[in-house]
Amino acid sequence: MLLNYLKSNLAQWKKIVLPGAIMASLVWSLFPLLHSGYFGDDAINSQIRGVLALEHKGLFEFTYTIFISWIKAQGRFYPLAWYAYSVFYALPSLLLYKAAIMGLVCLNVLAFGYLAYLITRLKNFALLFMLLLPLCFQFRICDDPILSYHFLMQVLFLETTVSLIFFHKFLMQNKARFLSLSLVFYACALLTYEISYLFFILYFVLAYYVFKDFKKTLAAAWPFFFVTLALAAVSIYLRSHIAVLDPGYTILFSMKAYFTALFKEIAAALPLLYYFKNPGHIFSRNAFFSQVTAGDLISAGLFLYLLRRIYGDFKKEAARPDKWFLLVFGACLAILPAMMICLSPKHQNGILGLPYLPVYIQYYGTALVLFGLYVWAEPYLIRFKYGKALPVVLGVLFLYAHLVNLQNNRIVVGKIKESIKYPRVLLGEALKNKLLDSVPEGAVIISENTRVWDNAYFYFLNSNKKYTVVSEQEYLAQYTTHLPQPNVYVVRYQTVAQAAGYVCLGKVKNIRVRPGTSSMDQIEIDALWIFKNDYRVFYNCLGVTQVKVGANTRFAPTEVGGARSEIIPLKENLLAGRRNGLELYAVSLDQKNVEFDSLVLGQMAPAHIVGAQFIAP
């Protein structure tokens, strides 16, 4: 019975298998995304639960307050974008959040592939487009629209794609309900992000492709223009009532600056541009082959099989997608998203290869343009002597691009983990594992690190205790008359080997300010706690203290002015052991004061450690 069922439904299974295999290839290319951390706006917005708890506000109340503040301060009207706080409230898990981004990217590709099929009625073209499109998806160490920003671009593009799907159905069937649904989704896109204000042009292009008649095109697409006009008028009205706009959100049109920025934004969507431009100097092209992994080879095998299978079916079809539609519609998608942001001064001094968020939508347009160029050039190329080798040449190029893109995405995420994810995870682990058990609630904690999560919200989120968390500068600005205050602590954390790192917490005994400045010169502590998350890396605490030599205070690497070297063996001061190498120490200082900034953890065996320098009490 099972065999008969499979045979009778073979055609249906075939419809699912190829798109499913394409999605598998896409997921593998995006897989490093799951291991990336919060950065950009996400690093702040992901602390929403701590913010709500300390500010004593509900989610809706807080979101509404932020929405109104942006209207009053900047005149920006994009209410649907503020779902961001709800996302992080509903998805406190980093892995679930990243999986949601991946899911939405896959949904974008499927939806746009379906739109391509509806317009061209060429199944193999749509499948081939979906397979090759991810070659444009380049992770970057900048404002990356896939790795960060609460899947804003994915939501915006899904709204736009669904609107275009319903609009195409309206053009083909002339049913008012399809037009209404299309307008609803288009209005949602306009209310999500202002870059969509020029997207009404897409509807005119699509309508003209279907009707080949200007009057019918205008009759079908005019509602989208007037919806845009109405919401743009609201934004203009709100901005006109703002006394002083943030310079980053003003409109500045300098022809040279504008078109230079526009060129950079458009070019950034080209496949592999970030890898070869290498603005962050993180890629070593000479090491390309040595960095190919077994997983890359498996992925390349699947990609090559799908490419050969789908391209072979595409070649057998007599019909070809309209090259002019691909070029024009693709150019609109490649250019329109960037046109609005290039009016902003903060985007007019960008670096080639480091675009802003709209590049995500431009990927789709760029892929359409490149496909259109292929359709246009194919008849001419096959006439050459070696024209029959064109499929082989393209296959090699696409395979190389696939492997490069896999490396690009993996290396970028690796750098992000080192600089952003691991330090935050380290501090969060320490706070969750009783680092602050000896610190009374309400105490002042000076954080020597100044990342966006070094605040009271993050500390509450991970310790469930309320503290005043300030930087050194903020502490001196608030407590200049009595140094130090009672119940003042200081924290510093550092990652040193991949995810391995340590957190030092000290109870402040005295603070010395550098003469003639408002910056701290020395923090002396009389109690010390150390958290480390990898027992294989760290053995002992060591450091170099600041001691007074004559009239000067300076670093002393050896015994100077009465300071003496001592080793603090951590294993003898273990306060709490944890699985997976998590350990917390209450370090005995033998009634001595230690200069906090001199403390580090040794990464060598105890017999090879020089020692820690102390200040006599």
Side-chain angles (χ1 to χ4, degrees):
M1 291 181 63
L2 179 61
L3 185 61
N4 292 333
Y5 172 80
L6 292 174
K7 287 181 178 180
S8 62
N9 292 275
L10 185 60
Q12 295 299 323
W13 282 108
K14 285 183 177 180
K15 292 181 180 179
I16 298 174
V17 169
L18 277 180
I22 291 172
M23 287 299 103
S25 178
L26 171 60
V27 166
W28 186 260
S29 70
L30 297 175
F31 195 76
L33 162 68
L34 297 179
H35 301 289
S36 61
Y38 296 116
F39 73 103
D41 286 0
D42 289 357
I44 301 172
N45 295 339
S46 57
Q47 302 172 54
I48 184 62
R49 286 175 175 255
V51 173
L52 297 180
L54 294 188
E55 300 294 337
H56 305 290
K57 290 184 178 180
L59 179 62
F60 176 80
E61 179 188 5
F62 179 80
T63 303
Y64 180 76
T65 301
I66 297 296
F67 165 58
I68 295 299
S69 69
W70 273 85
I71 290 179
K72 292 181 177 179
Q74 303 300 333
R76 295 189 64 183
F77 185 70
Y78 56 134
L80 296 189
W82 299 109
Y83 71 84
Y85 301 118
S86 299
V87 167
F88 293 108
Y89 188 86
L91 298 174
S93 164
L94 174 62
L95 180 61
L96 287 178
Y97 167 63
K98 297 294 183 174
I101 297 177
M102 181 182 288
L104 277 170
V105 173
C106 292
L107 191 57
N108 282 160
V109 173
L110 284 170
F112 197 78
Y114 177 64
L115 175 64
Y117 169 71
L118 283 181
I119 295 172
T120 64
R121 290 297 168 181
L122 297 172
K123 181 187 70 173
N124 290 305
F125 160 70
L127 291 173
L128 190 58
F129 178 82
M130 290 166 58
L131 177 66
L132 297 177
L133 172 64
L135 298 181
C136 294
F137 292 167
Q138 308 158 72
F139 293 175
R140 309 166 200 257
I141 303 180
C142 66
D143 296 312
D144 191 89
I146 297 179
L147 295 176
S148 185
Y149 289 89
H150 50 269
F151 40 78
L152 175 64
M153 288 297 104
Q154 287 74 38
V155 169
L156 175 64
F157 191 59
L158 186 60
E159 292 166 339
T160 304
T161 304
V162 172
S163 176
L164 287 167
I165 289 171
F166 281 123
F167 183 62
H168 185 269
K169 290 182 177 292
F170 165 71
L171 296 176
M172 303 305 293
Q173 302 179 33
N174 197 29
K175 293 182 178 179
R177 70 173 182 270
F178 290 135
L179 178 61
S180 299
L181 288 169
S182 181
L183 284 167
V184 167
F185 280 99
Y186 178 63
C188 288
L190 294 175
L191 293 170
T192 300
Y193 199 14
E194 300 98 325
I195 66 163
S196 57
Y197 281 5
L198 294 178
F199 286 7
F200 69 89
I201 296 173
L202 297 171
Y203 298 84
F204 282 91
V205 173
L206 183 55
Y208 185 77
Y209 171 72
V210 172
F211 294 135
K212 304 295 191 296
D213 182 276
F214 283 109
K215 288 185 178 180
K216 290 183 178 180
T217 296
L218 291 174
W222 71 264
F224 298 90
F225 172 73
F226 281 101
V227 170
T228 303
L229 195 63
L231 289 176
V234 172
S235 290
I236 293 171
Y237 172 79
L238 292 173
R239 282 174 173 260
S240 67
H241 287 73
I242 303 301
V244 180
L245 282 171
D246 186 317
Y249 298 106
T250 56
I251 295 177
L252 177 64
F253 185 77
S254 164
M255 185 170 292
K256 181 180 179 181
Y258 178 81
F259 284 104
T260 300
L262 186 62
F263 167 77
K264 292 177 181 178
E265 294 290 329
I266 295 170
L270 291 170
L272 310 185
L273 182 108
Y274 181 69
Y275 181 84
F276 286 107
K277 186 67 174 65
N278 199 12
H281 307 289
I282 62 173
F283 305 117
S284 175
R285 291 189 285 276
N286 295 330
F288 168 75
F289 290 103
S290 64
Q291 292 176 340
V292 174
T293 66
D296 292 344
L297 295 177
I298 295 172
S299 175
L302 174 62
F303 176 81
L304 195 58
Y305 168 77
L306 291 172
L307 181 62
R308 182 177 180 275
R309 168 75 183 273
I310 299 171
Y311 182 76
D313 293 340
F314 175 74
K315 289 285 289 181
K316 293 175 184 177
E317 292 179 338
R320 285 288 182 270
D322 187 309
K323 60 179 178 293
W324 294 114
F325 173 75
L326 296 181
L327 291 171
V328 174
F329 194 78
C332 288
L333 277 175
I335 298 172
L336 295 178
M339 290 183 69
M340 294 293 291
I341 65 163
C342 289
L343 292 170
S344 171
K346 73 175 185 178
H347 297 300
Q348 292 180 356
N349 297 309
I351 299 171
L352 181 62
L354 298 178
Y356 198 51
L357 305 180
V359 74
Y360 176 76
I361 299 176
Q362 294 171 245
Y363 292 149
Y364 293 80
T366 299
L368 281 178
V369 170
L370 293 175
F371 217 115
L373 291 173
Y374 166 77
V375 173
W376 170 76
E378 182 188 26
Y380 301 100
L381 293 175
I382 60 176
R383 294 176 188 173
F384 288 104
K385 181 178 179 180
Y386 299 103
K388 291 183 179 181
L390 179 62
V392 176
V393 173
L394 290 176
V396 171
L397 289 176
F398 289 145
L399 183 61
Y400 173 72
H402 178 76
L403 289 171
V404 168
N405 221 35
L406 291 176
Q407 282 195 24
N408 177 104
N409 295 349
R410 185 169 57 245
I411 292 171
V412 165
V413 169
K415 295 296 182 181
I416 289 172
K417 287 194 295 186
E418 291 176 7
S419 61
I420 297 174
K421 180 182 179 180
Y422 292 153
R424 174 171 169 153
V425 169
L426 170 64
L427 179 61
E429 284 179 339
L431 297 175
K432 290 175 182 176
N433 286 280
K434 302 182 178 182
L435 176 68
L436 302 179
D437 270 14
S438 300
V439 179
E441 196 163 0
V444 176
I445 298 177
I446 302 171
S447 175
E448 293 197 341
N449 304 82
T450 56
R451 310 300 286 267
V452 294
W453 54 81
D454 292 309
N455 56 53
Y457 305 130
F458 187 80
Y459 275 64
F460 179 82
L461 197 61
N462 289 279
S463 69
N464 202 34
K465 292 183 179 180
K466 297 179 181 179
Y467 298 103
T468 300
V469 182
V470 294
S471 66
E472 292 183 353
Q473 291 74 19
E474 290 169 337
Y475 181 84
L476 291 176
Q478 296 177 37
Y479 306 101
T480 54
T481 54
H482 301 91
L483 294 178
Q485 296 290 308
N487 286 328
V488 178
Y489 295 77
V490 59
V491 165
R492 185 180 79 248
Y493 56 90
Q494 183 176 347
T495 53
V496 294
Q498 295 182 347
Y502 61 88
V503 183
C504 294
L505 168 70
K507 189 175 188 307
V508 176
K509 174 73 173 180
N510 188 34
I511 295 176
R512 298 178 184 177
V513 179
R514 187 172 290 111
T517 70
S518 59
S519 59
M520 292 186 183
D521 183 56
Q522 182 173 308
I523 301 177
E524 294 178 13
I525 60 172
D526 55 10
L528 174 64
W529 297 264
I530 293 177
F531 171 87
K532 67 189 187 76
N533 66 356
D534 195 331
Y535 63 86
R536 296 167 300 176
V537 176
F538 303 114
Y539 293 91
N540 289 325
C541 178
L542 65 131
V544 178
T545 189
Q546 291 177 315
V547 297
K548 191 161 186 175
V549 182
N552 300 315
T553 300
R554 68 187 186 192
F555 285 102
T558 56
E559 295 189 28
V560 180
R564 55 194 177 89
S565 301
E566 291 184 15
I567 294 176
I568 309 175
L570 294 185
K571 62 181 180 180
E572 296 179 8
N573 302 291
L574 182 64
L575 182 65
R578 297 289 184 271
R579 293 181 179 180
N580 302 320
L582 303 182
E583 296 176 345
L584 177 64
Y585 301 86
V587 182
S588 174
L589 300 182
D590 296 329
Q591 298 183 341
K592 301 179 181 69
N593 296 340
V594 177
E595 205 291 300
F596 186 72
D597 285 339
S598 72
L599 296 170
V600 294
L601 293 197
Q603 298 181 64
M604 296 183 294
H608 299 95
I609 292 180
V610 175
Q613 304 284 342
F614 290 88
I615 302 175

